[in-house]
Amino acid sequence: MSNVAAAPLIRAFDLAAFEGATGADREGRARELDRICRETGFLVLSGHGVPEATVQGVWEAARRFFALPPEEKAQVSAPYPGYPYGWLGPNREALARSKGEDTPPDLKESFNGGPLTRPEGIADPDAYAFCYAPTLWPDLPGFREAWEAYYRALEDLAARVMRAMGVALNLPESFFDSYLRAPVSALRALHYPAMPEAALPGQQRAGAHTDYGSLTILRPQPGSRGLEIRDPYSGQWTEVAAPPGTFVVNIGDLMARWTADRWVSTLHRVVAIPGQPARQSLAFFHQPDWEAEIVPLDGSDAYAPVRSGPYLRAKFTATGT
């Protein structure tokens, strides 16, 4: 944790206050959102409207799953390399590799699930083999119901955040709606085991990386430590602290590309701190429709057009071990 800034770098944004604002107040809040996304791409989100009971339901479901013996969790492990959903056990992922850094595997395990509905008529077979592949459900009473309730709540929240972001980009509030008819978003429950001793050289709970999609909505465990972002200007690492009941939202690579780097996808990590207790978090990775064509919004040729789904798949395959 050396060379980590103590001063807060992450600004707050009240979504409900923005949605209820009018006139100059609304314009000011949109400018502030634009400023946040330009400077760090990270914010603490309040006024989100997600019921605490929905959060606690999936939180407890994930806790019960991770407490199972490895052989039981393995019953819902990916059936073959590259399958995106189910249990991903320890030593299976090194996120820093997506940035070209060769590190030991991250100190974590995860359960992953994809879209709750499967649209028809997509010409690309990779869509059904990857993003729309079935989630593998553990045999735990109430797990699927709690997971799906949270997924629906976060899918709705992500759409609301994207509308606010449309206004912040001086676009119609509904601009992004047409890209989100069947999003290929994913929900990941993460468990970081307790840290009784030092990690291997270069090893973290989650290596330094940027997220891949439009935005990520993270629910960290209250009081947990270790999430850090690197200041895009100073290069200094800053610890992220989120008040209870809030989410941490950050811009992903696809949104940075979409805005021709007006908004930043910031490097972040979860550091391995000797002696730290186990840590849990919930990450919702929001991603436009598989076929959505992403072209720089400023009309420039800063980036070539890409399709949302194939772009995500290429990013995903770069992190496996």
Side-chain angles (χ1 to χ4, degrees):
M1 297 288 286
S2 60
N3 299 320
V4 175
L9 181 66
I10 314 303
R11 293 189 174 86
F13 185 77
D14 187 327
L15 182 59
F18 167 80
E19 291 173 331
T22 58
D25 183 23
R26 181 179 175 86
E27 292 175 4
R29 293 178 185 275
R31 286 195 300 271
E32 174 63 12
L33 180 56
D34 178 49
R35 177 187 173 199
I36 292 169
C37 294
R38 284 174 180 263
E39 291 183 352
T40 67
F42 265 78
L43 59 91
V44 172
L45 187 73
S46 62
H48 51 75
V50 177
E52 188 61 24
T54 302
V55 177
Q56 292 305 315
V58 73
W59 200 266
E60 175 61 18
R63 187 199 64 78
R64 289 188 291 121
F65 174 77
F66 290 125
L68 294 173
E71 58 270 20
E72 292 189 37
K73 289 183 282 191
Q75 294 177 10
V76 290
S77 61
Y80 52 82
Y83 194 88
Y85 306 133
W87 181 55
L88 192 67
N91 301 317
R92 294 287 304 279
E93 187 176 56
L95 287 174
R97 294 182 186 176
S98 67
K99 293 299 179 183
E101 184 179 356
D102 189 12
T103 67
D106 295 340
L107 295 167
K108 67 175 186 293
E109 60 179 319
S110 63
F111 180 84
N112 306 275
L116 304 184
T117 59
R118 179 185 169 99
E120 300 299 327
I122 298 177
D124 187 347
D126 283 347
Y128 299 111
F130 184 62
C131 287
Y132 293 115
T135 298
L136 308 175
W137 300 109
D139 187 17
L140 280 176
F143 181 96
R144 180 171 181 173
E145 292 79 3
W147 185 274
E148 291 187 344
Y150 185 81
Y151 189 104
R152 290 189 185 94
L154 268 288
E155 194 166 51
D156 177 72
L157 176 60
R160 291 167 56 208
V161 173
M162 290 292 284
R163 292 185 190 112
M165 288 180 167
V167 178
L169 289 165
N170 297 312
L171 298 168
E173 184 176 8
S174 61
F175 176 83
F176 290 112
D177 289 358
S178 63
Y179 295 86
L180 306 176
R181 294 191 176 99
V184 288
S185 305
L187 174 59
R188 166 173 272 199
L190 292 144
H191 176 252
Y192 304 95
M195 289 290 304
E197 56 189 40
L200 296 173
Q203 191 173 36
Q204 304 286 8
R205 280 176 157 176
H209 65 286
T210 54
D211 292 338
Y212 309 147
S214 50
L215 57 89
T216 301
I217 305 177
L218 178 75
R219 184 66 175 239
Q221 184 173 346
S224 63
R225 295 186 61 205
L227 176 62
E228 297 176 356
I229 74 165
R230 193 175 73 177
D231 187 327
Y233 303 98
S234 71
Q236 188 174 30
W237 288 97
T238 298
E239 189 167 11
V240 177
T246 62
F247 291 95
V248 176
V249 177
N250 65 275
I251 296 301
D253 296 344
L254 191 72
M255 182 59 81
R257 185 184 187 106
W258 216 345
T259 62
D261 295 321
R262 168 175 173 163
W263 290 358
V264 294
S265 179
T266 298
L267 205 66
H268 55 285
R269 66 187 183 183
V270 181
V271 295
I273 308 172
Q276 280 289 293
R279 182 183 191 273
Q280 186 169 293
S281 63
L282 299 163
F284 185 80
F285 300 100
H286 187 249
Q287 184 80 14
D289 303 350
W290 180 275
E291 296 283 3
E293 187 176 59
I294 309 303
V295 179
L297 293 169
D298 65 355
S300 73
D301 58 358
Y303 293 100
V306 293
R307 287 189 301 144
S308 168
Y311 174 85
L312 175 64
R313 189 176 189 278
K315 289 274 193 174
F316 182 89
T317 55
T319 62
T321 64

